[in-house]
């Protein structure tokens, strides 16, 4: 069947009903989501939620008990070479040959994907700010420098997809900003797809357009970040006189709960227009009435505790 | 196209494996340890009582010390002694590290996130370890000959005494040198089985030290069992019988059939160990 011009592009990464068990414990259970091409996709979850297991499976390092994983349409296990040819990856704790220089490490790792060309290696090192330290042994690198080296190796030779497991871990604030700028640049200017696992919620919020949230090996949400953060039942209401408005809205059955002076949780089925109409009818001045966007932190903590 | 690129990268990847292997301190320490042991052995052989014992052995059989106490004779003794004492240890150490250390350090995960098959990774590592084994064997042979010849100031004739194989032979300098070169090469090839055994264990889910110790234990048990008189009829079943194939090149006439049998047996063992190790590496999870 031929693809027509109206078909959406196939996802860069597809995770389809993937399950993995370690002994009796399910590390992943029926996990399904897709990473659209050209997006920065966040993978969120607390420690032990299954993020690293999932990324390990995506890179063909862990064999799932069930399910399929595809990168660029190629099955990670059946067509490993094709699937990983244009993938760069960083692990939570990147490891290198400490007794060799940064340059040698990049050459060694790059050689498993393509011929390690000097210019390309130097360009990658330059891009992550390691050009001056490339010939020093890795044992002399700081944690932040190792993270940069990890990113440099992930950029070699020239990946379409970046899979990054807690990549900002250990970077100083300046390095963190540069790192985010680099990811944005790779995504916006060069169209790279980035799958990023992180427990830094601010990072996900700042970088990602799409997100999947893992909890105890299950996906509790997968989709655009804006849908996750929008909560139509939670609204900001600035009304005068406040006391009469709060009591009246509650007794009219429009507000279920007042979380604080200005934040209300609407009753099921009620919307901001209903609240505004009621206020106008009752002669209450409406100074502000808008759906309130949840912070990712709020959602995250709420899910993790539920 | 991709297959061509991948095939062409074999050489680059293999050089990378060698670079990793030969850049490690432990590798160099191995070479230095052999040199130190060779020098110590040579010094001990020149102590008056050692020399007197050697002289008695030669003269009882009608040979003169001056002819046979030369570089060649001592080199054979040094190679035999140092390989027996340190060869197994260092080869088990390198073979036991080759995969398990990379798993422990996390560097294997970095490699396996690349578009390279696990079978290829296993092949690269085994062939690199094999190259190390041969290099070590040849180094021990060449350095023993060089040190002994320099110390005694002459190559001399070759006298070989190996009672466990009923070898008591003498050779002229040229033939002796040829036999010594052949025996050293054969010894390098034969000891590859130690590396393969350690490689195999290194691919299983165990620490590098465990792989090394287990390899040495297996070899030690093999040697002890082989030397128990009840099992004398079955000595060709034991690995350590076949690893001594190099010494048999000093027998007169050369027992070609026995040497061929040993190499076939060792090749089969190498293939078996590699297959088990590679299969384990291909099947296991890395987390």
């Amino acid at each position: 069947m031929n693809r027509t011009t109206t078909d959406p592009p196939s996802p860069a990464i597809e995770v389809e009903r993937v399950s993995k068990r370690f002994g009796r414990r399910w590390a992943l259970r029926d996990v399904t989501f897709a990473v659209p091409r050209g997006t920065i996709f966040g993978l969120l979850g607390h420690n032990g939620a299954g993020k690293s297991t999932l990324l390990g499976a995506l890179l063909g390092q862990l064999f799932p008990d069930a399910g399929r994983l595809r990168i660029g349409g190629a099955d990670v296990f059946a067509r490993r070479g094709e699937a990983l040819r244009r993938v760069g990856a960083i692990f939570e704790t990147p490891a290198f040959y400490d007794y060799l220089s940064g340059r040698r490490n990049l050459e060694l790792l790059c050689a498993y994907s393509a011929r390690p060309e000097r210019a390309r290696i130097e360009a990658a090192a330059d891009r992550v700010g390691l050009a001056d330290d490339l010939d020093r042994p890795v044992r002399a690198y700081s944690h932040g420098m190792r993270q940069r080296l990890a990113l440099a190796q992930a950029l070699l030779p020239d990946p379409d997809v970046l899979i990054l497991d807690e990549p900002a871990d250990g970077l100083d604030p300046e390095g963190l900003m540069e790192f985010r700028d680099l990811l944005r640049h790779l995504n916006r200017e060069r169209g790279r797809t980035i799958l990023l696992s992180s427990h830094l919620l601010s990072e996900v919020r700042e970088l990602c357009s799409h997100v999947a949230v893992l909890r105890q090996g299950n996906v509790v949400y997968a989709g655009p970040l804006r849908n996750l953060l929008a909560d139509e039942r939670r609204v900001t209401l600035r009304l005068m006189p406040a006391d009469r408005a709060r009591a009246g809205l509650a007794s009219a059955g429009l507000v279920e709960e007042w979380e604080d002076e200005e934040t209300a949780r609407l009753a099921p089925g009620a919307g901001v227009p209903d609240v505004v109409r009621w206020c106008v009818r009752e002669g209450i001045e409406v100074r502000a009435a808008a759906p309130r966007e949840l912070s990712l932190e709020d959602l995250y903590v709420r899910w993790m505790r539920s | 196209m991709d297959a061509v690129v991948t095939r062409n990268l074999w050489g680059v990847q293999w050089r990378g494996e060698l670079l990793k292997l030969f850049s490690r301190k432990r590798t160099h320490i191995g070479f230095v340890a052999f040199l130190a042991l060779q020098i110590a052995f040579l010094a001990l052989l020149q102590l008056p009582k050692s020399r007197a014992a050697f002289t008695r052995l030669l003269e009882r059989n009608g040979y003169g010390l001056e002819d046979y106490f030369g570089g060649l004779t001592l080199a054979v003794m040094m190679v035999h002694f140092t390989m027996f004492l340190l060869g197994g240890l260092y080869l088990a150490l390198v073979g036991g590290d080759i995969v398990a250390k990379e798993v422990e350090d996390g560097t294997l995960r970095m490699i396996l996130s690349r578009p390279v098959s696990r079978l290829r990774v296993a092949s690269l590592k085994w062939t690199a370890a094999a190259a190390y084994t041969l290099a070590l064997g040849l180094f021990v042979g060449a350095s023993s000959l060089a040190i002994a010849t320099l110390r005694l100031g002459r190559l001399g004739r070759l006298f070989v005494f190996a009672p466990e194989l009923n070898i008591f032979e003498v050779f002229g300098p040229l033939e002796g040198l040829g036999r010594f070169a052949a025996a050293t090469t054969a010894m390098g090839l034969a000891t590859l089985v130690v590396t393969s055994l350690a490689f195999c264990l290194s691919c299983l889910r165990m620490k590098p030290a465990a792989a090394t110790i287990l390899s040495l234990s297996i070899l030690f048990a093999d040697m002890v069992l082989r030397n128990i008189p009840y099992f004398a009829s079955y000595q060709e079943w034991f690995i350590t019988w076949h690893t001594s194939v190099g010494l048999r090149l000093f027998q007169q006439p050369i027992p070609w059939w026995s040497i061929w049998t040993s190499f076939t047996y060792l090749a089969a063992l190498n293939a078996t160990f590699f297959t088990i190790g590679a299969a384990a590496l291909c099947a296991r999870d890395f987390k």
Side-chain angles (χ1 to χ4, degrees):
Chain A
M1 200 160 65
N2 292 329
R3 179 180 287 283
T4 66
T5 50
T6 53
D7 285 342
S10 64
I13 298 172
E14 295 161 88
V15 178
E16 196 181 311
R17 308 203 67 181
V18 170
S19 296
K20 175 73 183 173
R21 216 160 62 164
F22 293 112
R24 286 183 179 176
R25 194 177 68 81
W26 287 96
L28 297 171
R29 200 162 192 171
D30 220 15
V31 170
T32 297
F33 66 86
V35 178
R37 263 176 216 278
T39 57
I40 304 185
F41 192 102
L43 191 59
L44 270 177
H46 59 70
N47 290 338
K51 304 187 301 290
S52 295
T53 303
L54 182 61
L55 297 189
L58 258 175
L59 293 167
Q61 305 189 344
L62 289 162
F63 295 101
D65 298 320
R68 298 181 70 179
L69 297 131
R70 284 185 288 266
I71 300 177
D75 189 282
V76 167
F77 295 98
R79 290 152 67 195
R80 178 182 167 82
E82 193 182 334
L84 297 183
R85 185 155 312 281
R86 302 302 297 272
V87 174
I90 298 184
F91 298 107
E92 195 174 350
T93 322
F96 294 100
Y97 305 101
D98 284 1
Y99 49 93
L100 297 175
S101 66
R103 182 191 298 280
R104 285 279 187 233
N105 271 279
L106 293 181
E107 284 171 356
L108 279 173
L109 292 167
C110 181
Y112 289 99
S113 301
R115 198 165 287 283
E117 290 165 12
R118 189 184 174 91
R120 205 179 247 181
I121 283 169
E122 287 177 353
D126 191 41
R127 197 176 291 166
V128 299
L130 265 186
D132 294 338
D133 299 295
L134 204 51
D135 291 309
R136 288 173 63 197
V138 173
R139 78 167 78 87
Y141 281 19
S142 66
H143 185 73
M145 288 166 77
R146 293 173 77 96
Q147 288 293 116
R148 287 163 190 260
L149 186 65
L151 185 58
Q153 68 81 29
L155 296 175
L156 288 167
D158 188 20
D160 291 330
V161 174
L162 280 168
I163 295 177
L164 313 175
D165 192 2
E166 308 275 1
D169 193 28
L171 289 179
D172 55 32
E174 190 188 353
L176 201 59
M177 274 176 59
E178 286 172 13
F179 173 71
R180 286 175 183 168
D181 286 344
L182 176 61
L183 290 190
R184 280 192 205 100
H185 168 79
L186 289 167
N187 175 248
R188 289 178 192 159
E189 310 298 323
R190 306 184 68 177
R192 303 294 182 252
T193 305
I194 299 169
L195 172 60
L196 170 97
S197 93
S198 178
H199 63 273
L200 296 176
L201 305 175
S202 56
E203 182 174 87
V204 170
R205 189 180 178 126
E206 209 167 300
L207 285 170
C208 301
S209 57
H210 292 67
V211 66
V213 183
L214 279 174
R215 179 173 172 262
Q216 292 175 353
N218 295 287
V219 172
V220 291
Y221 175 82
L225 184 63
R226 64 173 183 278
N227 292 359
L228 177 75
L229 299 178
D231 184 349
E232 290 178 358
R233 287 180 61 202
R234 200 157 175 257
V235 292
T236 298
L237 296 173
R238 217 168 294 143
L239 310 169
M240 287 297 286
D243 289 344
R244 190 163 72 85
R246 289 175 64 179
L249 281 168
S251 57
L254 291 169
V255 167
E256 191 175 78
E257 179 195 1
W258 283 91
E259 291 183 7
D260 57 40
E261 293 288 309
E262 293 185 352
T263 310
R265 173 163 284 279
L266 299 182
V272 173
D274 301 323
V275 171
V276 173
R277 264 197 300 275
W278 182 88
C279 289
V280 171
R281 201 165 55 235
E282 296 294 322
I284 288 171
E285 184 188 346
V286 179
R287 293 186 175 173
R292 176 147 177 182
E293 199 180 62
L294 282 174
S295 75
L296 200 50
E297 283 79 357
D298 291 340
L299 261 177
Y300 192 64
V301 170
R302 189 181 293 177
W303 263 330
M304 294 308 134
R305 285 181 180 166
S306 68
Chain B
M1 176 74 177
D2 277 354
V4 173
V5 171
T6 310
R7 227 178 8 250
N8 289 343
L9 287 174
W10 169 277
V12 184
Q13 293 162 358
W14 194 67
R15 279 198 299 276
E17 283 298 327
L18 288 182
L19 176 76
K20 283 190 277 182
L21 196 56
F22 284 94
S23 300
R24 294 178 63 187
K25 250 187 205 154
R26 182 177 287 186
T27 309
H28 298 295
I29 290 171
F31 284 96
V32 173
F34 271 99
L35 276 179
L37 191 64
Q38 286 166 354
I39 291 167
F41 184 75
L42 190 62
L44 284 171
L45 263 180
Q46 295 197 69
L47 292 174
K49 287 181 182 171
S50 314
R51 206 180 161 108
F54 193 79
T55 310
R56 272 199 304 278
L57 178 69
L58 279 171
E59 286 177 352
R60 258 205 320 260
N61 292 281
Y63 300 113
L65 179 72
E66 288 309 308
D67 282 342
Y68 291 99
F69 198 71
L72 263 176
T73 300
L74 293 196
V76 170
M77 292 167 75
M78 285 159 72
V79 168
H80 189 50
F81 172 73
T82 50
M83 281 307 280
F84 173 76
L85 209 65
L86 285 185
L89 176 66
Y90 275 95
L91 294 179
L93 205 59
V94 168
D97 264 13
I98 194 111
V99 174
K101 185 80 173 88
E102 289 225 32
V103 175
E104 189 180 61
D105 290 348
T107 46
L108 196 67
R109 285 192 74 196
M110 304 287 282
I111 293 172
L112 293 180
S113 68
R114 301 265 164 186
V116 59
S117 73
R118 294 186 184 194
L119 182 61
R120 169 173 295 212
V121 172
S123 310
L124 284 165
K125 291 198 170 294
W126 185 83
T127 48
Y132 172 84
T133 308
L134 291 178
L136 187 70
L138 296 178
F139 170 81
V140 171
S143 58
S144 296
L145 188 62
I147 291 169
T149 307
L150 284 173
R151 179 68 186 88
L152 299 176
R154 64 180 185 281
L155 195 61
R157 291 161 177 264
L158 174 60
F159 164 65
V160 184
F161 177 55
E164 72 273 20
L165 291 173
N166 296 321
I167 297 174
F168 189 101
E169 300 292 347
V170 290
F171 303 97
L174 205 60
E175 190 185 357
L177 194 60
R179 295 245 185 175
F180 175 76
T184 304
T185 310
M187 176 200 67
L189 287 169
T191 50
L192 185 54
V193 76
V194 180
T195 314
S196 297
L197 171 62
F199 164 85
C200 173
L201 296 171
S202 182
C203 290
L204 305 179
R205 201 178 292 278
M206 65 174 75
K207 297 272 182 194
T212 300
I213 291 167
L214 196 53
S215 305
L216 286 173
S217 305
I218 291 169
L219 290 171
F220 185 66
D222 180 281
M223 192 177 68
V224 169
L225 288 173
R226 178 168 73 88
N227 285 305
I228 292 176
Y230 309 122
F231 305 136
S233 308
Y234 300 107
Q235 66 173 354
E236 290 181 9
W237 289 12
F238 295 97
I239 297 174
T240 46
W241 158 257
H242 296 284
T243 53
S244 66
V245 62
L247 272 180
R248 274 176 268 158
L249 280 161
F250 293 111
Q251 284 180 336
Q252 201 71 291
I254 295 174
W256 289 113
W257 177 248
S258 161
I259 288 168
W260 168 253
T261 308
S262 282
F263 274 120
T264 307
Y265 185 90
L266 291 171
L269 277 179
N270 281 320
T272 306
F273 290 143
F274 173 77
T275 305
I276 294 171
L281 191 71
C282 290
R284 66 184 279 197
D285 283 337
F286 291 96
K287 194 170 172 359

